[in-house]
Amino acid sequence: MREPVGSLAAVDTEIPRLDRGAIEEARRRLEGRVWRTPVVRCDQLEARCGVRLWLKTENLQRGGSFKVRGALLAVERLAAGGSRGVIAQSTGNHAISVALAAQQYALPTVVVLPRDAAPSKIRRIREAGAQVVTAGTLLADRLAAVDELRALHGYDVIDPYQNPDVVAGQGTATAELIGQVAAEGVTLDTVVVPVGGGSAVAGACLATQGTGIAVVGAEPRSVPALTKALRAGRPVTVPAQQTIADGLRPDRIGALPFELAHATVSAVLTMPEEAIADAVRAAFLHARLVIEPAAATALAAALEHAPQLGSDVGVLLSGGNVEPSLAASLLTSHHGPALKDGAC
């Protein structure tokens, strides 16, 4: 009998070796399967921060986020190996992406979400044919549930942080960003990416190897998982606090992302809730982009710290799966810096 892969008992001890070549392989495997999302600029945002901002609009990606990239690769490999089904835990976007990818191969799928997951994300997962299980509000709760489900079903686990296909797939978004900007005759000084469990920042570190481009992570001040890990020299669990950036709620950075990022990432910027909310409004009012607070965390960091990041700054707008009620609340709020309406 084929043994399922992805046991979470081993995720902190078995760390795969990845390099820039993994990004190139991932790009080849994803050719024609994901959208080459536009990179856009916005006069008003650039006037506000004083540098050129190159916004990678993965909010327009299939499934609503860049995470479909890694999910497609991971599911493809498991399906080719005879997988009986897949299990994933997530705050939302990874689960959506795994469900969509597994649907292509008719693989049974179970996803574990926090019990307070956004209803719109739960709906999208169920529309893709996956079973949804909720477990607590902490990463540890979801991991425990995944272990139980794996033992019950014998399905393969697609971890959102520890799977090398996932990390390499996510890195193709940053690689595309760099290439699209280079096609305009410009070399980025810095890329800013949001940090939750760490797949985005790890992928960005792979994608920028040998380029001289700095990688800066952005995370909610209320969930500083990478900041605390860098101080401790290892992944640590941080106290769980509320954040509107539900995609960045994991309270512990993955071991694989930490291994890739700790010696490469130039800085990690922690953003307050008000700045994240303001960036959601700024993207909508000025750039006409609907982005979720996780993506807005990276934009907020770029807007606030741009002078220290260089003259050309790339920003990974990681997703657009924002709960409609939250979007309405944020867009009608007047907290944060005053914004003047107007498109780019």
Side-chain angles (χ1 to χ4, degrees):
M1 179 181 296
R2 179 184 177 277
E3 289 295 322
V5 300
S7 172
L8 297 180
V11 295
D12 283 334
T13 57
E14 297 179 5
I15 301 178
R17 303 292 297 179
L18 293 175
D19 57 24
R20 183 68 171 74
I23 301 294
E24 295 306 319
E25 179 190 356
R27 292 180 72 172
R28 289 192 296 271
R29 291 171 60 195
L30 288 172
E31 186 68 31
R33 303 177 66 194
V34 296
W35 290 323
R36 187 177 175 83
T37 55
V39 172
V40 303
R41 293 174 57 196
C42 176
D43 290 341
Q44 287 178 291
L45 294 182
E46 291 184 355
R48 174 171 163 176
C49 65
V51 305
R52 290 190 291 191
L53 292 179
W54 303 82
L55 309 177
K56 178 63 169 168
T57 57
E58 286 291 289
N59 57 306
L60 305 178
Q61 186 55 260
R62 286 176 169 165
S65 83
F66 79 120
K67 292 199 172 181
V68 73
R69 296 169 177 270
L72 281 169
L73 297 183
V75 170
E76 175 190 56
R77 192 180 299 278
L78 289 173
S83 178
R84 292 178 291 174
V86 295
I87 302 171
Q89 67 81 17
S90 166
T91 56
N93 283 341
H94 176 69
I96 292 171
S97 297
V98 169
L100 290 171
Q103 187 180 44
Q104 296 183 15
Y105 296 92
L107 283 178
T109 306
V110 183
V111 301
V112 181
L113 301 177
R115 65 168 180 257
D116 56 353
S120 60
K121 293 182 177 180
I122 294 175
R123 184 170 58 252
R124 295 197 72 174
I125 292 164
R126 287 177 172 156
E127 287 172 352
Q131 177 187 351
V132 175
V133 174
T134 59
T137 59
L138 303 177
L139 175 60
D141 299 326
R142 299 196 299 278
L143 293 179
V146 167
D147 270 343
E148 291 178 6
L149 290 165
R150 179 177 180 270
L152 175 66
H153 296 291
Y155 292 170
D156 296 311
V157 176
I158 302 178
D159 190 86
Y161 326 124
Q162 301 301 122
N163 187 293
D165 280 322
V166 169
V167 170
Q170 316 315 35
T172 63
T174 297
E176 272 187 18
L177 166 61
I178 294 168
Q180 287 166 294
V181 175
E184 299 293 325
V186 175
T187 299
L188 290 174
D189 297 302
T190 303
V191 293
V192 184
V193 299
V195 179
S199 63
V201 71
C205 287
L206 289 174
T208 57
Q209 281 183 359
T211 66
I213 300 170
V215 175
V216 169
E219 58 188 359
R221 188 165 294 171
S222 55
V223 195
L226 181 54
T227 299
K228 295 291 189 180
L230 291 173
R231 290 175 182 171
R234 57 183 176 81
V236 295
T237 301
V238 300
Q241 299 184 52
Q242 289 295 319
T243 176
I244 59 171
D246 65 309
L248 307 183
R249 284 175 53 184
D251 53 12
R252 185 182 180 92
I253 199 79
L256 174 57
F258 181 78
E259 179 68 20
L260 292 170
H262 80 278
T264 302
V265 69
S266 296
V268 183
L269 305 173
T270 57
M271 304 309 299
E273 297 296 294
E274 296 82 1
I276 297 170
D278 177 59
V280 172
R281 290 189 291 270
F284 180 80
L285 293 173
H286 299 330
R288 296 297 188 248
L289 294 172
V290 177
I291 62 174
E292 60 188 272
T297 303
L299 178 59
L303 290 172
E304 184 169 320
H305 297 276
Q308 291 79 48
L309 302 178
S311 58
D312 287 280
V313 178
V315 182
L316 179 64
L317 299 182
S318 53
N321 292 323
V322 59
E323 186 68 20
S325 59
L326 175 60
S329 174
L330 293 176
L331 293 175
T332 55
S333 171
H334 297 291
H335 298 297
L339 295 172
K340 295 181 179 180
D341 196 6
C344 293

